[in-house]
Amino acid sequence: MNSDAVTKGVKSATHRALFNALGFTQEELERPLVGIVSSQNDIVPGHMNLDKIVEAVKTGVSMAGGTPIVFPAIAVCDGLAMGHQGMKYSLVTRDLIADSTEAMAMAHAFDALVMVPNCDKNVPGLLMAAARLNIPCIFVSGGPMLAGTVDGCKVSFSSISEAVGAYNAGKIDDDKLLEFENKTCPTCGSCSGMYTANSMNCLTEVLGMGLPGNGTIPAVYSQRIRLAKHAGMQIMELIRKNIRPRDIMTESAFRNALTMDMALGCSTNSMLHLPAIAHEAGIELNVDIANAISDKTPNLCHLAPAGPHHMEDLNEAGGVYAVMKEISKLGLLDLDNITCTGKTVGENIANSINKNPEVIRPVENPYSTTGGIAVLRGNLAPDSCVVKRSAVAPEMLRHSGPARVFDCEEDALAAINGGKIVPGDVVVIRYEGPKGGPGMREMLNPTSAIVGRGLGSTVALITDGRFSGATRGAAIGHVSPEAAVGGPIALVEEGDTISIDIMANTIQLEISDEEMAKRKAAWKPRQPKITTGYLARYAALVTSGNRGAILEAK
């Protein structure tokens, strides 16, 4: 179906009457109708500038012969939702965004869509919608925030989170905490490290759904406005050539994305989102392949929270394409995939240059010879769990210690801030998974408290919930099966020994099979925490973290 259904022929006289009421001219209705999905709102720092991006897209569409029509998508700020019940509503919006975009696009017979997201769930939610609808689509995000500066050093959102932990430990005073508070987030845009929003915007470039610079050009640069105009123009080219999302987001494109995920050191949330997007494209992306890809993909970037660099540094160093060019030297990318530029991956990156080998390490001198993310398995996580290996202290790549067990984030945070967690401990936070939460909350506050108290190199944390991209340390999430469905994490008892070997991709609860079976037989499901509203419906339909927390009708 295309816009002819609402603009052409006698049958569409009623539709045209309504377009007349909107002020559209006959000339505009003779052009392709291009929906512009705007995630703009006044509560998300990464989205407050999207009105300017949308206006630029509209200009580009009009310049290239299309009729731009804007409609909205919701957006939750993960930072503002963090640490309270609001975080239960973060991941779940990914499906609301996809579903509502599908509804608007189908109901109004758009010929194509320009997606204008920026932060954590909007990028994957709109990529899911693009794959589902399979009409020409292109992405242009709002861009990353500039880093702040404290004591002559660049800082980002993870810095203020860890500063709270340092303050609670008595390591900094009120004035220093206030300085971090005032200087950490100095501009609009998605927070300035390689957190989830920037990870997904960079991977949108890799997948081929965004123009070069989409992931890295800072929000406050006028270059971002020019990029938006070019995206508006390019969607008309995609219409003319009939290049659709499923032509671009192929199985090999997702393999490219996983490869670049490892090279860039992206957020562990990418391991939730990529399988969900692939699922909408009719591709089953099993996280099991991640380790095989990681084993041969060097980690070339250490952006915050893993290292001192930020998105503005990656942009100046040549951006995502420069990292792709480095990785292509090893023959690890499929260069023949078509992209939204109308060219192949190989053509796109042919002239890219690594302008700063400190920010983008050459493949001959990587941070590590293996990728930034690892998938672990063992009797504690038979279906897998995930860790951002590039952000783990070397001494914590192998760790064994006593379990300190908590059935919610709040109890764990109280214990950490109360000084009850000591070096060597393994903090277990359970019943926070997709069903058990419900909503699979991020655990940035507990991990930041651990790091802020100086325990980042001695304490591990595992959860069936997930982590912010701002998390660093031995933070292992997405434990599957989750506690709410009787996964082994529900059977851990206080003081049990847990052994973690990130280099060997293993995680083990050190009890006998007989003891595990005994505990399993005694386990009883808990009553749902929430029984009404959207979260109750979500909990009834959501699958486990290792499947991308996709929704599936039972």
Side-chain angles (χ1 to χ4, degrees):
M1 183 177 72
N2 59 28
S3 63
D4 287 356
V6 293
T7 60
K8 301 292 192 297
V10 173
K11 63 179 176 52
S12 294
T14 54
H15 304 120
R16 289 193 297 273
L18 294 169
F19 278 113
N20 288 340
L22 289 164
F24 284 97
T25 65
Q26 180 181 336
E27 291 81 2
E28 287 174 297
L29 297 182
E30 290 172 353
R31 298 177 170 191
L33 302 185
V34 178
I36 302 174
V37 188
S38 172
S39 301
Q40 194 276 333
N41 64 36
D42 293 341
I43 191 64
V44 183
H47 290 205
M48 63 179 286
N49 65 319
L50 294 189
D51 54 344
K52 294 178 175 60
I53 303 296
V54 167
E55 286 303 313
V57 171
K58 289 173 67 176
T59 298
V61 170
S62 297
M63 287 169 62
T67 298
I69 304 174
V70 180
F71 65 89
I74 63 168
V76 164
C77 177
D78 276 25
L80 288 173
M82 195 74 66
H84 58 91
Q85 294 302 303
M87 181 46 72
K88 295 179 185 291
Y89 286 89
S90 170
L91 178 61
V92 305
T93 64
R94 186 183 70 180
D95 294 275
L96 286 175
I97 291 160
D99 292 350
S100 60
T101 301
E102 174 194 0
M104 289 293 288
M106 294 301 293
H108 302 110
F110 288 110
D111 295 297
L113 296 175
V114 180
M115 309 296 201
V116 187
N118 207 23
C119 291
D120 296 31
K121 305 312 159 308
N122 286 70
V123 182
L126 290 177
L127 282 166
M128 289 165 66
R132 189 186 301 175
L133 290 162
N134 203 34
I135 60 175
C137 291
I138 196 168
F139 280 66
V140 56
S141 78
M145 185 183 290
L146 295 179
T149 303
V150 173
D151 296 331
C153 297
K154 287 185 177 181
V155 293
S156 58
F157 186 70
S158 53
S159 305
I160 179 61
S161 299
E162 292 172 12
V164 171
Y167 178 83
N168 287 331
K171 294 187 174 186
I172 62 173
D173 60 16
D174 289 345
D175 290 342
K176 181 56 67 176
L177 180 62
L178 182 61
E179 184 179 4
F180 274 102
E181 184 179 324
N182 288 335
K183 294 182 177 180
T184 294
C185 299
T187 73
C188 64
S190 48
C191 295
S192 56
M194 187 56 82
Y195 309 141
T196 304
N198 293 325
S199 294
M200 292 310 302
N201 280 318
C202 287
L203 294 180
T204 299
E205 278 193 59
V206 179
L207 283 169
M209 293 297 293
L211 295 177
N214 181 64
T216 60
I217 299 170
V220 295
Y221 284 13
S222 298
Q223 185 183 0
R224 175 68 54 180
I225 300 297
R226 298 196 297 273
L227 178 73
K229 290 178 181 176
H230 282 127
M233 290 185 270
Q234 186 60 23
I235 192 63
M236 300 308 299
E237 188 68 14
L238 295 177
I239 293 172
R240 282 188 282 272
K241 292 181 176 178
N242 195 29
I243 297 176
R244 298 169 182 251
R246 293 194 186 190
D247 300 324
I248 296 170
M249 291 193 285
T250 61
E251 185 171 354
S252 63
F254 282 102
R255 285 182 175 271
N256 281 355
L258 280 173
T259 299
M260 291 304 300
D261 192 324
M262 302 300 171
L264 289 163
C266 291
S267 162
T268 52
N269 279 316
S270 62
M271 300 302 290
L272 276 176
H273 299 322
L274 287 174
I277 299 160
H279 178 75
E280 296 290 351
I283 298 165
E284 293 306 311
L285 188 65
N286 193 319
V287 295
D288 285 345
I289 69 172
N291 285 338
I293 291 174
S294 180
D295 286 345
K296 56 188 179 184
T297 306
N299 177 225
L300 304 184
C301 299
H302 267 194
L303 278 68
H309 303 130
H310 295 79
M311 295 306 296
E312 63 206 64
D313 303 313
L314 179 58
N315 187 62
E316 294 303 317
V320 174
Y321 278 16
V323 187
M324 294 177 75
K325 183 68 175 290
E326 285 288 343
I327 291 297
S328 71
K329 296 175 182 177
L330 300 176
L332 298 179
L333 296 178
D334 188 331
L335 302 180
D336 295 327
N337 293 337
I338 193 67
T339 71
C340 70
T341 66
K343 300 176 181 178
T344 65
V345 171
E347 290 171 321
N348 285 343
I349 68 174
N351 298 319
S352 296
I353 299 171
N354 181 356
K355 300 176 183 177
N356 189 336
E358 291 299 315
V359 176
I360 304 172
R361 290 275 187 96
V363 291
E364 298 83 9
N365 181 36
Y367 283 102
S368 65
T369 57
T370 54
I373 288 178
V375 176
L376 314 184
R377 284 181 183 274
N379 69 347
L380 187 55
D383 290 342
S384 77
C385 55
V386 179
V387 62
K388 188 171 184 175
R389 179 163 52 194
S390 60
V392 177
E395 55 268 39
M396 288 299 291
L397 291 171
R398 292 180 178 86
H399 180 77
S400 184
R404 305 297 309 280
V405 183
F406 304 94
D407 288 348
C408 67
E409 176 190 0
E410 289 83 356
D411 290 350
L413 186 61
I416 297 165
N417 287 333
K420 297 178 180 178
I421 302 302
V422 299
D425 284 348
V426 178
V427 177
V428 177
I429 305 178
R430 62 192 181 188
Y431 293 99
E432 290 284 8
K435 285 184 178 294
M440 205 177 187
R441 288 195 290 179
E442 289 183 344
M443 303 290 156
L444 177 60
N445 287 350
T447 56
S448 296
I450 287 170
V451 172
R453 296 185 74 85
L455 298 171
S457 60
T458 58
V459 170
L461 188 152
I462 68 172
T463 181
D464 52 8
R466 60 194 180 93
F467 295 110
S468 163
T471 288
R472 64 185 174 111
I476 299 164
H478 310 189
V479 171
S480 302
E482 63 174 290
V485 298
I489 193 173
L491 311 179
V492 181
E493 295 181 359
E494 185 80 8
D496 284 346
T497 297
I498 294 176
S499 297
I500 302 161
D501 190 334
I502 293 172
M503 299 311 296
N505 303 316
T506 61
I507 184 166
Q508 197 76 7
L509 176 62
E510 301 292 356
I511 62 173
S512 68
D513 292 344
E514 292 77 14
E515 177 64 19
M516 182 79 84
K518 178 182 174 182
R519 294 183 188 182
K520 177 68 174 176
W523 179 81
K524 290 182 174 56
R526 300 191 175 193
Q527 290 297 315
K529 295 176 183 175
I530 295 175
T531 58
T532 60
Y534 177 55
L535 287 180
R537 297 196 301 276
Y538 180 87
L541 297 175
V542 71
T543 61
S544 64
N546 70 300
R547 295 187 59 197
I550 62 172
L551 301 187
E552 191 170 72
K554 299 297 186 287

